[in-house]
Amino acid sequence: MVPFCRALALSVAFTSALARERVDTHIHALPPPYIEALEAAGGDPSGFPTPQWTLEATLRSMDLANTQVAILSLSTPGIPIAGTGEAARSLTRTMNEYFGNATSLPKHTARLGFFGVLPDWRDVNGTLAELDYLYSEQKLCNGVTAYTTYGDRLLGDPLFAPVWDRLQRYKALVFVHPGTLTVAPKFIASSLAQPIVDYPLATTRTAVDLVMTQTMRRCPDVDVILSHAGGAVPFLAGRAIGGLALPEIADAVGYNALGAAKDFARFYYDIALSTSAAQLHGLLDFADASHILFGSDFPYVPQAAISTLLAQYATFVTTDARGPLVSPARLRENSLKLLNRHALGKAF
């Protein structure tokens, strides 16, 4: 209890001096039309409870965390819950209009942005059309959200090549969030929902896929944010890179270790639910500190848990020799530089 109390005291002292220092790139919104579609489809198939959400609650959470800017996104299962037809396309547009209107209000414009919503990528034409709407017509988003898988396809699947070509044309920022997936065998403990273990591993698999399919190499102007410190990427990417030292694997993949290492170095990482010393050291061992961003994962992470994670993070920043590398000021600088590089109009 004493270490936690000390950490909490550090957090309070540390954050109270920041005056809305943070920029949160992993914070979700659940607008009413989306909740209606989710309930009509039988709820979240991941097994994780869907939290209550309002825009006012988001702003309160931001104030409590000393967050100045938040980039809202639609969490999993997202639009794929509505299928790949016209109903899903209509829901996508409704969400983007909601986000565009909410973040354009004078009282919100300096504090809120959003990652545009896309259909299930298996609806390739619908996805391309929505990208054109977001970037050529609406021109308000700060990037787009993509899920780690669509059906049984990872993001580097050849079916999705036209989507990546369009993202490259628009020099887009892509926030990759774990998506609902089919996993077998399932955990015997039925309460162990997919976000607990499966989601970080899903992020790991699609990140490796994006490198090994050379999707990252073909899209030099697209930046990609990986959720939750990249899952196990900091710990397992070395195995993927090292595997390419074997001629048989390198020939089969059509890539070499040097190219893969350069592509892995391009990813950005938020620290939502990833504030322990082990996680932060692992991330710093693998990624450049300039590619680390802050994320709260509100409202899927309740406010009490956010406060605990902030206390843990503050302890690392204030007591660890590498803490200054991930200080709130550094993460803020990283986020603003990335967001403003991809700004369509409004910059923070």
Side-chain angles (χ1 to χ4, degrees):
M1 182 63 69
V2 173
F4 172 76
C5 292
R6 179 173 177 271
L8 186 59
L10 278 169
S11 176
V12 171
F14 192 64
T15 58
S16 63
L18 295 178
R20 293 183 178 172
E21 180 85 12
R22 305 186 203 280
V23 175
D24 192 338
T25 60
H26 189 149
I27 183 168
H28 297 301
L30 294 87
Y34 170 67
I35 294 298
E36 291 174 8
L38 185 63
E39 291 175 349
D44 189 338
S46 76
F48 201 82
T50 300
Q52 297 291 320
W53 177 86
T54 64
L55 192 57
E56 292 73 21
T58 296
L59 293 166
R60 286 196 299 272
S61 177
M62 291 170 61
D63 290 340
L64 288 169
N66 291 306
T67 296
Q68 178 187 17
V69 174
I71 310 300
L72 304 174
S73 59
L74 191 65
S75 188
T76 308
I79 301 301
I81 201 72
T84 56
E86 287 299 325
R89 292 186 182 186
S90 177
L91 180 61
T92 301
R93 182 60 54 85
T94 297
M95 290 299 95
N96 284 324
E97 290 174 346
Y98 175 92
F99 282 126
N101 291 335
T103 59
S104 296
L105 293 173
K107 62 181 179 179
H108 295 157
T109 187
R111 298 196 69 190
L112 297 178
F114 74 101
F115 290 129
V117 179
L118 297 175
D120 186 314
W121 282 23
R122 290 173 294 181
D123 176 13
V124 175
N125 289 333
T127 302
L128 296 177
E130 200 63 21
L131 282 169
D132 289 339
Y133 168 74
L134 287 166
Y135 282 90
S136 296
E137 185 175 342
Q138 189 190 45
K139 297 182 180 180
L140 293 174
C141 71
N142 300 93
V144 296
T145 298
Y147 300 125
T148 48
T149 52
Y150 293 95
D152 59 354
R153 299 175 187 269
L154 293 163
L155 289 183
D157 192 282
L159 178 66
F160 303 146
V163 176
W164 286 104
D165 290 343
R166 194 64 54 89
L167 291 167
Q168 169 61 22
R169 179 193 300 180
Y170 290 123
K171 299 181 179 181
L173 174 61
V174 180
F175 169 60
V176 174
H177 191 277
T180 304
L181 65 163
T182 301
V183 179
K186 293 184 178 181
F187 288 107
I188 294 174
S190 59
S191 60
L192 198 62
Q194 287 189 354
I196 307 301
V197 173
D198 296 326
Y199 275 13
L201 298 180
T203 298
T204 307
R205 297 186 76 246
T206 211
V208 171
D209 183 64
L210 286 174
V211 171
M212 296 303 170
T213 58
Q214 300 184 50
T215 301
M216 295 293 291
R217 180 56 51 94
R218 292 195 303 271
C219 300
D221 298 311
V222 174
D223 286 317
V224 176
I225 302 172
L226 300 178
S227 300
H228 311 118
V233 168
F235 310 98
L236 296 181
R239 292 170 64 93
I241 296 168
L244 295 174
L246 299 173
E248 297 86 352
I249 296 178
D251 290 344
V253 174
Y255 214 24
N256 59 51
L258 180 60
K262 289 181 178 179
D263 287 344
F264 272 112
R266 288 184 49 205
F267 288 124
Y268 288 79
Y269 304 82
D270 69 56
I271 59 168
L273 287 169
S274 308
T275 56
S276 72
Q279 289 167 315
L280 293 171
H281 276 301
L283 192 52
L284 286 168
D285 285 343
F286 181 75
D288 191 280
S290 66
H291 282 222
I292 301 175
L293 318 172
F294 175 75
S296 67
D297 216 339
F298 180 85
Y300 284 86
V301 177
Q303 195 60 46
I306 291 173
S307 297
T308 300
L309 290 164
L310 286 176
Q312 186 180 56
Y313 165 62
T315 299
F316 182 85
V317 171
T318 55
T319 65
D320 193 280
R322 299 170 90 179
L325 293 174
V326 291
S327 69
R330 289 291 301 272
L331 300 194
R332 172 190 170 85
E333 179 184 355
N334 297 344
S335 298
L336 291 179
K337 184 177 180 179
L338 179 64
L339 291 169
N340 291 335
R341 180 161 68 242
H342 294 277
L344 291 175
K346 178 177 72 173
F348 293 106

